[in-house]
mmCIF file of all heavy atoms in Angstrom:
data_model
loop_
_atom_site.group_PDB
_atom_site.id
_atom_site.type_symbol
_atom_site.label_atom_id
_atom_site.label_comp_id
_atom_site.label_asym_id
_atom_site.label_seq_id
_atom_site.Cartn_x
_atom_site.Cartn_y
_atom_site.Cartn_z
ATOM 1 N N GLN A 135 -10.786 -11.478 -14.981
ATOM 2 C CA GLN A 135 -10.044 -11.303 -16.231
ATOM 3 C C GLN A 135 -10.555 -12.347 -17.294
ATOM 4 O O GLN A 135 -10.512 -12.034 -18.482
ATOM 5 C CB GLN A 135 -8.580 -11.413 -16.050
ATOM 6 C CG GLN A 135 -8.026 -10.297 -15.211
ATOM 7 C CD GLN A 135 -6.566 -10.563 -14.867
ATOM 8 O OE1 GLN A 135 -5.917 -11.507 -15.228
ATOM 9 N NE2 GLN A 135 -6.056 -9.699 -14.014
ATOM 10 N N ALA A 136 -10.909 -13.537 -16.835
ATOM 11 C CA ALA A 136 -11.366 -14.577 -17.756
ATOM 12 C C ALA A 136 -12.841 -14.489 -18.106
ATOM 13 O O ALA A 136 -13.291 -15.335 -18.906
ATOM 14 C CB ALA A 136 -11.034 -15.942 -17.125
ATOM 15 N N GLY A 137 -13.528 -13.476 -17.528
ATOM 16 C CA GLY A 137 -14.928 -13.331 -17.855
ATOM 17 C C GLY A 137 -15.817 -14.381 -17.135
ATOM 18 O O GLY A 137 -16.814 -14.776 -17.679
ATOM 19 N N ARG A 138 -15.437 -14.772 -15.970
ATOM 20 C CA ARG A 138 -16.192 -15.743 -15.171
ATOM 21 C C ARG A 138 -16.698 -15.047 -13.855
ATOM 22 O O ARG A 138 -16.218 -15.266 -12.767
ATOM 23 C CB ARG A 138 -15.309 -16.887 -14.761
ATOM 24 C CG ARG A 138 -14.758 -17.715 -15.943
ATOM 25 C CD ARG A 138 -13.715 -18.725 -15.499
ATOM 26 N NE ARG A 138 -14.034 -19.414 -14.271
ATOM 27 C CZ ARG A 138 -14.428 -20.708 -14.194
ATOM 28 N NH1 ARG A 138 -14.420 -21.439 -15.299
ATOM 29 N NH2 ARG A 138 -14.660 -21.206 -13.035
ATOM 30 N N PRO A 139 -17.746 -14.159 -14.065
ATOM 31 C CA PRO A 139 -18.168 -13.375 -12.881
ATOM 32 C C PRO A 139 -18.749 -14.150 -11.689
ATOM 33 O O PRO A 139 -18.523 -13.708 -10.575
ATOM 34 C CB PRO A 139 -19.197 -12.455 -13.514
ATOM 35 C CG PRO A 139 -19.660 -13.070 -14.777
ATOM 36 C CD PRO A 139 -18.518 -13.886 -15.240
ATOM 37 N N ARG A 140 -19.433 -15.237 -11.967
ATOM 38 C CA ARG A 140 -19.982 -15.996 -10.839
ATOM 39 C C ARG A 140 -18.867 -16.661 -9.985
ATOM 40 O O ARG A 140 -18.944 -16.550 -8.726
ATOM 41 C CB ARG A 140 -20.997 -17.056 -11.304
ATOM 42 C CG ARG A 140 -22.373 -16.436 -11.628
ATOM 43 C CD ARG A 140 -23.287 -17.458 -12.029
ATOM 44 N NE ARG A 140 -23.276 -17.471 -13.432
ATOM 45 C CZ ARG A 140 -24.098 -18.096 -14.241
ATOM 46 N NH1 ARG A 140 -25.037 -18.855 -13.657
ATOM 47 N NH2 ARG A 140 -24.044 -18.059 -15.523
ATOM 48 N N ALA A 141 -17.902 -17.213 -10.648
ATOM 49 C CA ALA A 141 -16.751 -17.849 -9.853
ATOM 50 C C ALA A 141 -16.008 -16.708 -9.179
ATOM 51 O O ALA A 141 -15.604 -16.829 -8.055
ATOM 52 C CB ALA A 141 -15.920 -18.613 -10.799
ATOM 53 N N ALA A 142 -15.829 -15.593 -9.883
ATOM 54 C CA ALA A 142 -15.096 -14.476 -9.305
ATOM 55 C C ALA A 142 -15.823 -13.891 -8.035
ATOM 56 O O ALA A 142 -15.213 -13.597 -7.024
ATOM 57 C CB ALA A 142 -14.942 -13.301 -10.291
ATOM 58 N N LEU A 143 -17.160 -13.779 -8.119
ATOM 59 C CA LEU A 143 -17.938 -13.318 -6.992
ATOM 60 C C LEU A 143 -17.769 -14.229 -5.806
ATOM 61 O O LEU A 143 -17.590 -13.737 -4.694
ATOM 62 C CB LEU A 143 -19.408 -13.188 -7.432
ATOM 63 C CG LEU A 143 -20.351 -12.572 -6.339
ATOM 64 C CD1 LEU A 143 -19.842 -11.238 -5.854
ATOM 65 C CD2 LEU A 143 -21.667 -12.491 -6.829
ATOM 66 N N ALA A 144 -17.882 -15.521 -5.983
ATOM 67 C CA ALA A 144 -17.737 -16.499 -4.881
ATOM 68 C C ALA A 144 -16.357 -16.294 -4.246
ATOM 69 O O ALA A 144 -16.276 -16.270 -2.998
ATOM 70 C CB ALA A 144 -17.962 -17.937 -5.443
ATOM 71 N N SER A 145 -15.287 -16.206 -5.023
ATOM 72 C CA SER A 145 -14.026 -16.037 -4.472
ATOM 73 C C SER A 145 -13.786 -14.708 -3.774
ATOM 74 O O SER A 145 -13.177 -14.632 -2.707
ATOM 75 C CB SER A 145 -12.920 -16.239 -5.588
ATOM 76 O OG SER A 145 -12.924 -17.540 -6.074
ATOM 77 N N ALA A 146 -14.305 -13.661 -4.369
ATOM 78 C CA ALA A 146 -14.135 -12.282 -3.826
ATOM 79 C C ALA A 146 -14.972 -12.245 -2.459
ATOM 80 O O ALA A 146 -14.419 -11.625 -1.474
ATOM 81 C CB ALA A 146 -14.581 -11.267 -4.735
ATOM 82 N N GLU A 147 -16.105 -12.783 -2.447
ATOM 83 C CA GLU A 147 -16.919 -12.770 -1.201
ATOM 84 C C GLU A 147 -16.222 -13.608 -0.134
ATOM 85 O O GLU A 147 -16.266 -13.265 1.038
ATOM 86 C CB GLU A 147 -18.336 -13.261 -1.476
ATOM 87 C CG GLU A 147 -19.150 -12.247 -2.233
ATOM 88 C CD GLU A 147 -20.608 -12.683 -2.582
ATOM 89 O OE1 GLU A 147 -20.842 -13.942 -2.600
ATOM 90 O OE2 GLU A 147 -21.411 -11.854 -2.774
ATOM 91 N N ARG A 148 -15.565 -14.744 -0.512
ATOM 92 C CA ARG A 148 -14.831 -15.484 0.519
ATOM 93 C C ARG A 148 -13.677 -14.660 1.065
ATOM 94 O O ARG A 148 -13.400 -14.655 2.239
ATOM 95 C CB ARG A 148 -14.377 -16.841 -0.134
ATOM 96 C CG ARG A 148 -13.572 -17.700 0.851
ATOM 97 C CD ARG A 148 -14.499 -18.230 2.006
ATOM 98 N NE ARG A 148 -13.653 -18.996 2.857
ATOM 99 C CZ ARG A 148 -13.700 -19.012 4.213
ATOM 100 N NH1 ARG A 148 -14.544 -18.216 4.787
ATOM 101 N NH2 ARG A 148 -12.939 -19.807 4.931
ATOM 102 N N ALA A 149 -13.004 -13.902 0.179
ATOM 103 C CA ALA A 149 -11.885 -13.085 0.585
ATOM 104 C C ALA A 149 -12.347 -12.038 1.545
ATOM 105 O O ALA A 149 -11.756 -11.722 2.596
ATOM 106 C CB ALA A 149 -11.182 -12.475 -0.567
ATOM 107 N N VAL A 150 -13.567 -11.396 1.258
ATOM 108 C CA VAL A 150 -14.169 -10.442 2.140
ATOM 109 C C VAL A 150 -14.480 -11.037 3.501
ATOM 110 O O VAL A 150 -14.260 -10.450 4.581
ATOM 111 C CB VAL A 150 -15.425 -9.792 1.520
ATOM 112 C CG1 VAL A 150 -16.178 -8.978 2.580
ATOM 113 C CG2 VAL A 150 -15.022 -8.862 0.392
ATOM 114 N N GLU A 151 -15.044 -12.212 3.462
ATOM 115 C CA GLU A 151 -15.336 -12.959 4.696
ATOM 116 C C GLU A 151 -14.124 -13.187 5.599
ATOM 117 O O GLU A 151 -14.177 -12.993 6.833
ATOM 118 C CB GLU A 151 -15.958 -14.324 4.290
ATOM 119 C CG GLU A 151 -16.741 -15.023 5.377
ATOM 120 C CD GLU A 151 -17.354 -16.307 4.701
ATOM 121 O OE1 GLU A 151 -18.239 -16.178 3.908
ATOM 122 O OE2 GLU A 151 -16.881 -17.448 5.136
ATOM 123 N N LEU A 152 -12.995 -13.541 4.978
ATOM 124 C CA LEU A 152 -11.762 -13.841 5.673
ATOM 125 C C LEU A 152 -11.060 -12.560 6.122
ATOM 126 O O LEU A 152 -10.354 -12.545 7.172
ATOM 127 C CB LEU A 152 -10.845 -14.641 4.854
ATOM 128 C CG LEU A 152 -11.346 -16.086 4.541
ATOM 129 C CD1 LEU A 152 -10.476 -16.763 3.461
ATOM 130 C CD2 LEU A 152 -11.244 -16.936 5.850
ATOM 131 N N GLU A 153 -11.169 -11.511 5.323
ATOM 132 C CA GLU A 153 -10.421 -10.279 5.631
ATOM 133 C C GLU A 153 -11.312 -9.065 5.213
ATOM 134 O O GLU A 153 -11.051 -8.352 4.276
ATOM 135 C CB GLU A 153 -9.086 -10.264 4.775
ATOM 136 C CG GLU A 153 -8.094 -9.262 5.228
ATOM 137 C CD GLU A 153 -6.773 -9.417 4.458
ATOM 138 O OE1 GLU A 153 -6.722 -10.057 3.395
ATOM 139 O OE2 GLU A 153 -5.819 -8.738 4.897
ATOM 140 N N PRO A 154 -12.372 -8.864 6.086
ATOM 141 C CA PRO A 154 -13.347 -7.781 5.712
ATOM 142 C C PRO A 154 -12.805 -6.366 5.667
ATOM 143 O O PRO A 154 -13.403 -5.495 5.073
ATOM 144 C CB PRO A 154 -14.367 -7.974 6.853
ATOM 145 C CG PRO A 154 -13.758 -8.686 7.963
ATOM 146 C CD PRO A 154 -12.608 -9.511 7.323
ATOM 147 N N GLU A 155 -11.694 -6.157 6.338
ATOM 148 C CA GLU A 155 -11.143 -4.790 6.357
ATOM 149 C C GLU A 155 -10.243 -4.413 5.132
ATOM 150 O O GLU A 155 -9.888 -3.269 4.941
ATOM 151 C CB GLU A 155 -10.264 -4.559 7.581
ATOM 152 C CG GLU A 155 -8.939 -5.306 7.606
ATOM 153 C CD GLU A 155 -9.076 -6.799 7.973
ATOM 154 O OE1 GLU A 155 -10.157 -7.288 8.229
ATOM 155 O OE2 GLU A 155 -8.019 -7.476 7.873
ATOM 156 N N LYS A 156 -10.095 -5.377 4.212
ATOM 157 C CA LYS A 156 -9.235 -5.044 3.023
ATOM 158 C C LYS A 156 -10.137 -4.610 1.831
ATOM 159 O O LYS A 156 -11.012 -5.325 1.366
ATOM 160 C CB LYS A 156 -8.445 -6.333 2.638
ATOM 161 C CG LYS A 156 -7.505 -5.986 1.462
ATOM 162 C CD LYS A 156 -6.340 -6.948 1.450
ATOM 163 C CE LYS A 156 -5.418 -6.471 0.326
ATOM 164 N NZ LYS A 156 -4.160 -7.152 0.420
ATOM 165 N N SER A 157 -9.946 -3.379 1.445
ATOM 166 C CA SER A 157 -10.782 -2.785 0.437
ATOM 167 C C SER A 157 -10.708 -3.458 -0.924
ATOM 168 O O SER A 157 -11.637 -3.476 -1.682
ATOM 169 C CB SER A 157 -10.401 -1.317 0.254
ATOM 170 O OG SER A 157 -9.090 -1.222 -0.216
#
Side-chain angles (χ1 to χ4, degrees):
Q135 292 170 7
R138 298 171 41 109
R140 280 183 264 190
L143 182 57
S145 295
E147 287 178 336
R148 180 66 179 138
V150 168
E151 196 176 292
L152 291 168
E153 195 175 13
E155 70 283 355
K156 186 155 183 169
S157 63

